[in-house]
Amino acid sequence: MQAWRKALWASLCVVLLTAWPAGAPAGAQEGSISVDAPSTSQVGEVVEISVGSPSTTAAFETGFSYDHEALEFAGAYFDQPVEVLTVDGVDGLADVGAFRCSTDLCDDGLVAPVGAMKVRFIVLTAGTHKITLRRGLAVDAAGSVVAETASQEIVVGAGEGPETSGANDTALSSNRAAVSQEQADVTGDSQVDRLDALEAASAWDSVRRVDGPCQLDEWSAGFDIDASGCLDVADLAAISAAIGPALVVEDGVAGLWADEAPAHVAAADLPFVVNSTLDAGDRSLTDGVCQTSTGVCTLRAAIQQANYNTGPNDIHFNIAGSGVQRINLSSPLPGLYDTTGGTTIDGYTQPGTRVNTSDLVFNGLIKIEVFGRGQTVGQSGMVIYGPSNTIRGLSVYNSFFNIHLSGNGASNNTIVGNIIGTNTATTWAETTASTDQAGVEIRSGASYNQVGTVALQDRNVISGNPYSGVRINHAETVGNRIQNNLVGFNASGTTSLYSRVAGIDAQWGAQETLIGGYQEHAGNKVAGNSAYGIDLSHSSKNNVVVGNRLGTDPSGTRTYTHTANLIGLAIKDNTVGNT
């Protein structure tokens, strides 16, 4: 998977803008790079590079290459609230970006400036090390390029300044076409709002994990709205600049663009009842009815309609058949985004299901599976961008992020009573490692969300994920609670479906994460991880880890070969204030 990345850096549209010494101001001269390399470096030391952007920058992206045996990428940190775009360090390569939003979930589009970014690396071996900062791209709120830079090399530990290289690199951001509002409506819901920008941001992440930002397939090409041939932050900015007016839709057919966005409508047939395993979208959002062009209600159509309708929404299931019903996704489901009221997706409404009642394991019966496109594709299964949503009673697996909560708007959501990362029988597991994959990914400011609660019926099984069960990322991500989950076990607790790195991972500045708790059943049962049961790292702080069972069977009284974690609890890399 990584061959394209090493070849791509020579002419890449993943880019670096403007780097400054530590403590430098956020503003920068267009096209300039200034880096302060430390004169010495010690094993275990954190090396920090400060990156600034021109004052008109509303979105930017950077790329790094380094010797991953000598340095560990420890994340990017920002001095302003931003939507973070991050592909973690993989085999010595990393992609980082951000875009800045206004208040009220960015409904007014992007606002400059992005501000300063600090990128950190941990020194693993003695000596001097080179970090290559590849071409950088900064754009304004309209998606126009305000800065591009050629490759630079920083020598860490030798007191040397950056060495300029790659001056003849081809600028891939030229020849950008004007963008219409029809093109900016990448979700196809007849309106341009922050959901379009967030879905494009998710696609930005996905393509960098697989074929590269300039190697687009049919799905990802739909987000390259400025026709540059690459999916980059200019597309995100152009989408956000188009937020406002919406299509006039009559009888399911989009017409001319109106001067004002049409008002959302109240639902006509709540709850929406999914009665099909098909994956088609809704026929018409303005009628308040969940119905595809073939007359059925799919999960995709129900989410689209719930996003469009005002007030709270409920999505139930009544799919014919007594066995497990599997919904095969053709692309990530639309992100739950509605800010007028949360949406509850309740798989326990499917006939023949039951909630968990066991004190120790999971004896619930789930009959709805949401099956993604494959964990190496880099795409999410179910996505949450907005507040106060609930996902319960589903099996969600075979996606890179099976359930993905992202952005400052994704707050006070609840993920309970699910099987995440494996099938309803908890027998399926991905055997190929997909670096940075997660069963539940909480990032980029998503805060005060709940994954499991102390109620027995709310226990999740989070297993079969090849990298991490639950990951919590980034400094603006605060106050999330991970409780009462079986992580790494099958439903009966008799064998492991382990994560290859961590069961639960809080990193990159995540704050005040509660893992477990003092109440009965608050603790998680975490087993069988080849690295860490629980990992607190990369400047995460003020986390509480209490009441969990790490490396034992669910009862906490025995250990077996399949229950052992290599390390039960790891606390490392400038992680402070933990209980």
Side-chain angles (χ1 to χ4, degrees), residues 6-14 134-135 169-172 214 230:
K6 296 178 180 178
L8 187 62
W9 287 107
S11 57
L12 189 61
C13 66
V14 174
R134 292 295 183 180
R135 181 178 299 282
D169 285 354
T170 302
L172 297 177
C214 304
C230 304

Side-chain angles (χ1 to χ4, degrees), residues 180-195:
S180 68
Q181 286 177 307
E182 291 93 334
Q183 292 168 314
D185 178 26
V186 293
T187 62
D189 63 359
S190 304
Q191 56 188 341
V192 182
D193 55 21
R194 183 172 180 254
L195 180 58

Side-chain angles (χ1 to χ4, degrees), residues 263-270 272 285-289 305 308-313:
H264 287 198
V265 297
D269 65 341
L270 285 176
F272 302 125
L285 294 176
T286 58
D287 61 8
V289 176
Q305 195 69 64
Y308 194 80
N309 292 342
T310 57
N313 296 276

Side-chain angles (χ1 to χ4, degrees), residues 282-363:
D282 196 66
R283 180 184 65 86
S284 173
L285 294 176
T286 58
D287 61 8
V289 176
C290 176
Q291 188 176 74
T292 69
S293 59
T294 60
V296 298
C297 177
T298 64
L299 179 57
R300 184 177 298 275
I303 293 174
Q304 289 174 333
Q305 195 69 64
N307 279 334
Y308 194 80
N309 292 342
T310 57
N313 296 276
D314 292 295
I315 297 176
H316 292 179
F317 294 83
N318 188 12
I319 302 175
S322 60
V324 173
Q325 305 299 317
R326 192 168 84 174
I327 299 169
N328 295 304
L329 300 182
S330 58
S331 63
L333 288 166
L336 291 168
Y337 171 67
D338 184 14
T339 60
T340 67
T343 295
T344 296
I345 302 177
D346 189 355
Y348 288 119
T349 56
Q350 174 71 12
T353 58
R354 67 169 184 263
V355 300
N356 174 66
T357 58
S358 171
D359 282 348
L360 295 179
V361 292
F362 184 87
N363 64 5

Side-chain angles (χ1 to χ4, degrees), residues 470-507:
V470 181
R471 288 205 322 166
I472 307 101
N473 285 334
H474 306 139
E476 298 296 321
T477 306
V478 180
N480 294 285
R481 296 185 172 216
I482 318 299
Q483 296 182 311
N484 189 24
N485 300 290
L486 278 178
V487 183
F489 287 102
N490 65 352
S492 62
T494 57
T495 190
S496 66
L497 298 171
Y498 66 91
S499 301
R500 295 181 184 274
V501 174
I504 303 170
D505 187 2
Q507 64 171 359

Side-chain angles (χ1 to χ4, degrees), residues 213-305:
C214 304
Q215 304 293 322
L216 307 179
D217 61 15
E218 182 178 358
W219 171 78
S220 56
F223 297 94
D224 175 26
I225 64 169
D226 62 7
S228 68
C230 304
L231 200 175
D232 54 35
V233 291
D235 297 297
L236 274 62
I239 290 170
S240 294
I243 290 175
L247 281 169
V248 175
V249 180
E250 294 182 357
D251 297 325
V253 179
L256 298 176
W257 284 80
D259 293 333
E260 297 181 357
H264 287 198
V265 297
D269 65 341
L270 285 176
F272 302 125
V273 179
V274 176
N275 57 20
S276 171
T277 59
L278 298 177
D279 192 36
D282 196 66
R283 180 184 65 86
S284 173
L285 294 176
T286 58
D287 61 8
V289 176
C290 176
Q291 188 176 74
T292 69
S293 59
T294 60
V296 298
C297 177
T298 64
L299 179 57
R300 184 177 298 275
I303 293 174
Q304 289 174 333
Q305 195 69 64

